Amino acid sequence: MNKHALCKYLRSCFFVFTVLLAPFYLAAHIIPKPTNMVLGEGHFNLTHHSQISYNHNTAQPVAEQLAQFLRAPTGYQLPVTQANNTIKQTIAFKIVDLPLNKEGYQLIVKQDFIEVKARTATGLFWAMQSLRQLLPNEIESRMPINRQSWLIPTVEVVDQPRFSYRGMHLDVSRHFFDVAFVKRYIDWLAMHKLNTFQWHLTDDQGWRIAIDAYPKLTTIGGTRPHTVVGHTYDYKPLFDNQPVSGFYTKAQIKEVISYAKARHIDVIPEIDIPGHSSAILAAYPELSCHQQAVNVQPQFGIFEDVLCPREDVFEFLAQVYKEVAELFPSQYIHIGGDEVIKKQWLASPIVKQLMQQHNLSTPEQVQSYFIKRVAKIVQELDKKVIGWDEILEGGVADDALIMSWRGTEGGIEAAKMGHQVIMSPYQYIYFDAYQSRNLDEPKAIHGLTRLKDVYQYDPQPSHLTDEQQRYIIGAQGALWTEYIKTPRHAEYMLFPRLSALAETLWSNKVNKSWSDYSQHRLPNLLKRYQQMQINTANSSYKPIISSEVIDNKLVAKITTDIAGPTIYYTLDGSEPTLNSAQYQRPIVITKHSQLRARSYVDSQARLVGDARLTLSPHLAIGKKITLKNPAAGDSAVKLQDGKFAYDQFYNADDYAIFYHSDLDAVIDFDTPTLVKQVSLGYNSGRHRQLHPPTKIQILGSDDQLNWQNLATITQPHGPMSVLSFAPIKVRYLKVIAINAKQSDDIQIPKLPLYIDEIAVN
C-alpha cells in the first residue's frame, strides 16, 4: 500500500481533531482503537423502520450477519436487500476500492444513514465489530429489550490492522472443551478483530482429534485417569480420581472451521510432536524407542516419552497429518516441537545408528532431523509449518514459521535468519498466568501477567532493523488449561486481557495509550462484557502492595495499575472496609504486621481485591549476611527484605533459591545483640506447596569459632517455622536449613530449597 496515498486519503476524509470535540471522542468506546476516528454531534436512530443493504454478493453475508445479530435484542426484522445507492435509514455495506489493506475499512455514521466500506468482506466484518461497539452495551443481550430506538453516535472511522497475524490459542488437551464453548471462543476473537485461532489438539494429557487410520488415538489416548489437585509440582501431589476424556469428530471439526470461516478467522491445528506425545504412545507404544507401555499423563509438565525417529514413525505421522490437512483449509499446520527431553534418544541404539548414518553429533541435531522430516511431510501436503522456537535448535526447515514462546529471543534470532515470526512470549501474553497477586484470584499455573503487561507489550523489538521487523508478522496469546477446568474459569483468564492483546495487535503503536484504554474505554467494555454474561476479571483495579528498606526502615506502598480507585487498608490482618484507614502515602512498618488492602472502584460501586503482605521490621535487616552456599542469581537479597511470601500466590522471585544445596547463613549484628526468636519462611502456603527443609537449626556465637545451639526442629511444616529460645546476646547468628535434595521428578533434577526470609527478633 502507498503510504503517501493513504495519508492524502485520510486528510481528505477528516477535519482536524480539536479540543472542542475531545468529549465526543471519548464517548466512542471502540477496542481495539481505530487508526483514525472523528465524532460528530448527532446520532443515527436505529429503529424497526431501518434496513440493511449491500452492493456486492461478497458483502451479503456480512449484511445478513448484522441483521441476525440485531434481531435478538431489538426484535427488529430488518430487511436485507441489494442496492448500489444508500438511502435514508439504511446501513449500507459496500465493497469499494480503498487505499487500505485487505482488512481495512471505512465506517461513516450520519444522522440519516450508515455506510460501511472496504475492499473485502473481511474488512466489512471488522467494521461491523466497530459498529457493534458504537451501539449501547445492551445490544449484547440475547434477550429482547423493549425500546423504541437504538442510538449510534455519528462518526467517521478509517481503520486497518497493524499486524496481519493476530492470534489466540486454546489448549483442549489438558481439559476438554465442547464445540459450543469453542464456538463462543471464536465469537470472542471475532469481536476483538483477532483473525487466527490456534487449536492445541494434542498433548501428554489427551488426544482430541479423530484420526480414521488410528482409532486408538482417541479410544485410548483421549482419556486420562485423573487430574492433580493443587499443583502438579507440589511436593505431595494429590489427585481427584475423576477421569478426563473427550475428542472432536471430523464432523464437529468441520462445523467449527465453517463457523470460524464465517467470522473471517483462520483455524490452525496443532499436532504436537516429537515430545508431549504420551497420549500417542499410550495408544501406540511401538512408536517410542523403548516400545514399552506408556500412560496418558495425569500430571502436567515435561516427560521423557518421545516419538522415535524411525521410518515407521514418520509413516504414522504422514497419515495423521494427511487427515489433518484434509480437514483444515488453513495454509498452516502447527507441529509443536517444544520441550523435547532427549534422554530416550540418547539411550537408543536406533538413534545412535541414525546419528552415525547422518553425521549427527548432538541430540539437538537429532531433533532438527526429526522436525525437518515432519516439515517435509507437511510441505508435501501443500501446507506451511509453524513450530515453537525450540525447532531452531540444531537447524530448521527453510520456510518454517517460528512461534517464539520462551521469551522474545527465539523470535529475534529467527527474524535475523529471515524466518517469519509469530511472537508469543509467556511473560507477556500467556493468559494461564495470574492477573494479580491477590488471594481472591482463581488458580493459575504460575507467574504474573497483568493486563497492563499485555497492553504495553510490543511484538516488534525496537533494536531490530526495519527489514528484520517485517519478518515479525504478528503475535498470539495463549490459554493453556492445566488448571482451567471450566468455561467460567476460562472466561476469567481471558477477559479483559484479550482486549489488551487485540489493541496491541491491531492499533498503531503511536495511537496506543494505557490511560485512555484503562480509564476511558475499558470501563465501558467491562459493562459490555457484563451484558454478554462473561465472567470478567477486575484484577487491574486490585491493590498492589510492595515494600522496600529505606534507611533501615521498612516502608510499604500500595498502588493500582488503573489509576483512580480509593484504597483502604488495615495492619492487623483484619478485612478492610469503607471504614478502614484510607491509603494516602507510604507506610512505615514498625512491628510485625499483616498489611491488607482493598480498592473501591467507582464504576463498579464496590470494593475489590484482597491484597495481603506480611511484613516484619526485624533485627537482621541491613546486617551483613554470609552464605556458605551461594543462592541462585541475586536471590539472596530476599533473605533480609522484611517480607514473607505466603500471603500471595507462589512466585519464585520472592525467594532465595538454593539448588541442591543447603541454606547455611551467618548474620553479623556488628555488636552483641539480644535475640530470642527466628522466623523462617520456606513454603508459599498458597497455590504451590514447595519442598520444605528437612531440618532447621539456629546457633549463636560471639567469635564465629564457638557456636551454641539455640534451637532445632526436624521435619518442619509450612508455610513458615518460628523457632523461639531463651533470650541471649550474640554477635553472630547462624541459620541452617537442610535441603531434602531427593527428587523423583525428572523436571526438577536438582531440588531447590526456597527461603523467603530470615526474620530475627
Side-chain angles (χ1 to χ4, degrees):
M1 181 185 62
N2 187 309
K3 291 184 178 179
H4 297 292
L6 174 60
C7 292
K8 183 178 180 181
Y9 176 71
L10 295 177
R11 285 195 297 268
S12 70
C13 289
F14 300 111
F15 52 85
V16 176
F17 186 76
T18 64
V19 175
L20 181 64
L21 284 178
F24 295 105
Y25 176 78
L26 296 178
H29 304 290
I30 296 178
I31 295 177
K33 189 174 184 178
T35 306
N36 284 280
M37 178 171 68
V38 178
L39 263 85
E41 299 184 9
H43 293 84
F44 174 86
N45 290 345
L46 179 71
T47 71
H48 68 280
H49 295 297
S50 302
Q51 53 187 312
I52 301 172
S53 69
Y54 60 92
N55 74 334
H56 192 279
N57 289 341
T58 58
Q60 182 178 358
V62 184
E64 291 177 346
Q65 282 173 309
L66 178 63
Q68 182 180 5
F69 173 77
L70 295 173
R71 194 169 299 139
T74 66
Y76 302 160
Q77 300 288 331
L78 300 183
V80 179
T81 57
Q82 185 168 8
N84 290 322
N85 298 324
T86 304
I87 62 175
K88 286 187 176 182
Q89 274 297 302
T90 297
I91 302 173
F93 287 89
K94 296 184 175 182
I95 296 291
V96 297
D97 186 24
L98 293 176
L100 300 170
N101 65 35
K102 64 181 181 180
E103 294 186 276
Y105 66 88
Q106 182 180 11
L107 172 62
I108 301 172
V109 181
K110 299 291 187 182
Q111 292 187 19
D112 294 335
F113 62 86
I114 296 175
E115 283 189 333
V116 184
K117 300 178 180 180
R119 289 170 49 197
T120 66
T122 301
L124 294 180
F125 185 79
W126 300 141
M128 187 180 80
Q129 304 311 313
S130 293
L131 179 61
R132 169 182 178 178
Q133 291 191 52
L134 292 174
L135 282 154
N137 293 331
E138 292 79 8
I139 203 70
E140 303 296 341
S141 171
R142 297 299 90 194
M143 299 294 290
I145 295 175
N146 186 20
R147 62 168 66 184
Q148 291 184 343
S149 65
W150 298 76
L151 299 181
I152 303 173
T154 55
V155 66
E156 294 188 17
V157 177
V158 170
D159 198 11
Q160 63 181 2
R162 177 185 175 192
F163 291 104
S164 62
Y165 187 107
R166 306 181 304 281
M168 189 63 209
H169 152 290
L170 176 64
D171 167 19
V172 296
S173 172
R174 276 54 179 267
H175 283 96
F176 181 74
F177 292 86
D178 64 19
V179 168
F181 176 79
V182 174
K183 286 182 175 180
R184 288 205 305 277
Y185 201 87
I186 288 168
D187 283 335
W188 297 332
L189 304 194
M191 174 185 175
H192 293 84
K193 302 187 179 79
L194 298 174
N195 63 2
T196 307
F197 169 51
Q198 182 187 326
W199 209 352
H200 186 83
L201 291 162
T202 72
D203 217 295
D204 292 298
Q205 293 76 25
W207 182 280
R208 308 296 179 204
I209 175 174
I211 301 296
D212 293 338
Y214 299 103
K216 287 194 289 186
L217 286 172
T218 50
T219 58
I220 295 176
T223 301
R224 68 172 181 268
H226 49 242
T227 301
V228 69
V229 175
H231 197 282
T232 195
Y233 295 129
D234 287 351
Y235 75 97
K236 292 182 179 179
L238 301 174
F239 298 91
D240 62 8
N241 297 320
Q242 298 293 320
V244 175
S245 63
F247 68 93
Y248 305 101
T249 66
K250 288 190 172 182
Q252 289 175 321
I253 287 175
K254 290 177 181 178
E255 180 184 348
V256 168
I257 291 170
S258 176
Y259 192 86
K261 182 180 179 181
R263 287 148 185 82
H264 301 267
I265 291 174
D266 187 29
V267 182
I268 297 176
E270 181 183 358
I271 307 298
D272 199 352
I273 51 86
H276 290 290
S277 296
S278 299
I280 299 175
L281 298 175
Y284 298 98
E286 63 271 20
L287 299 177
S288 68
C289 288
H290 57 66
Q291 300 187 348
Q292 297 173 1
V294 170
N295 294 321
V296 178
Q297 283 292 341
Q299 290 198 222
F300 307 119
I302 313 170
F303 303 95
E304 290 183 1
D305 289 304
V306 296
L307 297 176
C308 199
R310 291 195 317 265
E311 290 305 313
D312 61 319
V313 174
F314 294 121
E315 290 170 5
F316 163 85
L317 291 174
Q319 179 61 36
V320 169
Y321 284 115
K322 178 178 181 291
E323 293 192 31
V324 170
E326 289 170 349
L327 272 176
F328 290 85
S330 173
Q331 64 176 316
Y332 301 115
I333 292 179
H334 201 305
I335 64 171
D338 61 314
E339 298 180 325
V340 180
I341 295 179
K342 304 168 182 71
K343 181 178 179 180
Q344 291 181 3
W345 286 351
L346 292 174
S348 169
I350 296 171
V351 175
K352 291 177 182 177
Q353 182 180 356
L354 177 77
M355 294 177 73
Q356 291 177 354
Q357 181 181 351
H358 293 277
N359 196 27
L360 308 176
S361 58
T362 67
E364 287 72 28
Q365 289 177 341
V366 176
Q367 177 171 327
S368 175
Y369 170 83
F370 196 112
I371 294 298
K372 287 179 178 179
R373 288 290 303 269
V374 174
K376 185 178 180 182
I377 291 170
V378 172
Q379 291 161 356
E380 289 175 350
L381 295 168
D382 199 26
K383 302 287 187 180
K384 294 181 180 179
V385 165
I386 301 177
W388 301 110
D389 55 73
E390 284 97 328
I391 71 171
L392 290 168
E393 298 169 0
V396 64
D398 292 339
D399 65 346
L401 275 73
I402 306 301
M403 189 169 282
S404 185
W405 77 273
R406 293 180 296 177
T408 60
E409 293 80 8
I412 291 169
E413 178 187 352
K416 290 179 177 179
M417 294 168 61
H419 287 276
Q420 287 191 318
V421 173
I422 302 158
M423 287 293 195
S424 189
Y426 74 90
Q427 303 96 325
Y428 303 106
I429 51 178
Y430 266 32
F431 294 167
D432 52 336
Y434 282 97
Q435 299 179 73
S436 83
R437 300 203 64 188
N438 280 227
L439 292 181
D440 53 356
E441 294 287 342
K443 189 191 301 183
I445 188 167
H446 55 63
L448 179 64
T449 303
R450 300 184 188 276
L451 178 68
K452 191 174 184 179
D453 298 328
V454 179
Y455 189 84
Q456 294 183 334
Y457 171 64
D458 186 356
Q460 291 180 323
S462 59
H463 66 273
L464 293 180
T465 66
D466 290 345
E467 182 181 357
Q468 290 166 347
Q469 286 189 355
R470 281 193 288 272
Y471 283 108
I472 299 174
I473 62 173
Q476 179 170 283
L479 187 65
W480 302 98
T481 61
E482 287 95 334
Y483 302 96
I484 301 172
K485 296 183 178 181
T486 66
R488 295 295 282 173
H489 191 176
E491 290 172 10
Y492 186 93
M493 304 305 280
L494 281 170
F495 297 101
R497 289 187 290 192
L498 190 70
S499 69
L501 175 67
E503 189 145 311
T504 291
L505 298 181
W506 180 282
S507 303
N508 287 343
K509 185 163 62 172
V510 294
N511 283 354
K512 289 182 63 184
S513 163
W514 168 250
S515 61
D516 171 50
Y517 164 81
S518 64
Q519 296 187 45
H520 300 303
R521 290 178 294 126
L522 178 62
N524 184 74
L525 182 64
L526 293 175
K527 293 176 182 177
R528 186 169 292 267
Y529 289 156
Q530 187 176 19
Q531 290 291 330
M532 298 169 69
Q533 299 183 3
I534 291 174
N535 182 29
T536 309
N538 55 20
S539 306
S540 290
Y541 293 100
K542 295 177 180 179
I544 302 168
I545 304 176
S546 61
S547 67
E548 59 182 328
V549 177
I550 303 175
D551 297 329
N552 288 329
K553 293 181 179 179
L554 186 58
V555 179
K557 296 181 180 179
I558 314 175
T559 60
T560 55
D561 273 341
I562 296 178
T566 305
I567 300 171
Y568 298 89
Y569 73 94
T570 63
L571 287 168
D572 60 1
S574 61
E575 182 180 354
T577 68
L578 293 175
N579 295 321
S580 301
Q582 189 177 131
Y583 179 78
Q584 303 286 351
R585 61 186 63 85
I587 307 163
V588 177
I589 305 298
T590 59
K591 62 180 181 179
H592 187 87
S593 306
Q594 186 189 53
L595 173 57
R596 291 181 67 177
R598 301 183 73 192
S599 302
Y600 185 81
V601 183
D602 291 335
S603 62
Q604 300 180 28
R606 64 189 179 104
L607 285 167
V608 302
D610 184 10
R612 306 184 192 187
L613 189 61
T614 295
L615 299 164
S616 181
H618 54 83
L619 298 173
I621 288 179
K623 302 302 181 182
K624 180 182 177 182
I625 186 169
T626 303
L627 298 176
K628 182 178 180 180
N629 305 308
D634 59 356
S635 65
V637 297
K638 301 301 179 179
L639 295 171
Q640 297 168 285
D641 60 5
K643 58 187 176 185
F644 288 90
Y646 59 81
D647 283 332
Q648 300 179 335
F649 73 81
Y650 162 76
N651 186 332
D653 292 340
D654 290 332
Y655 298 86
I657 307 174
F658 300 87
Y659 286 104
H660 208 62
S661 62
D662 304 324
L663 166 71
D664 191 331
V666 174
I667 299 167
D668 182 355
F669 294 111
D670 300 323
T671 60
T673 301
L674 185 68
V675 296
K676 60 182 180 180
Q677 185 182 86
V678 174
S679 301
L680 194 71
Y682 49 80
N683 187 329
S684 69
R686 309 286 179 182
H687 167 60
R688 284 277 297 274
Q689 300 299 317
L690 307 175
H691 288 258
T694 60
K695 179 182 177 180
I696 300 172
Q697 186 177 12
I698 312 298
L699 304 98
S701 174
D702 293 323
D703 56 9
Q704 294 196 82
L705 297 174
N706 301 295
W707 292 96
Q708 177 182 352
N709 185 57
L710 303 178
T712 302
I713 183 173
T714 58
Q715 303 302 322
H717 299 286
M720 65 181 294
S721 287
V722 179
L723 291 85
S724 299
F725 42 86
I728 185 173
K729 278 191 174 184
V730 295
R731 176 174 172 176
Y732 302 99
L733 195 71
K734 179 180 285 191
V735 180
I736 298 173
I738 304 300
N739 188 334
K741 298 185 181 71
Q742 299 299 319
S743 174
D744 298 325
D745 191 334
I746 62 171
Q747 299 167 79
I748 314 176
K750 293 185 176 181
L751 192 68
L753 176 66
Y754 295 85
I755 304 294
D756 76 338
E757 193 72 12
I758 302 175
V760 183
N761 296 107

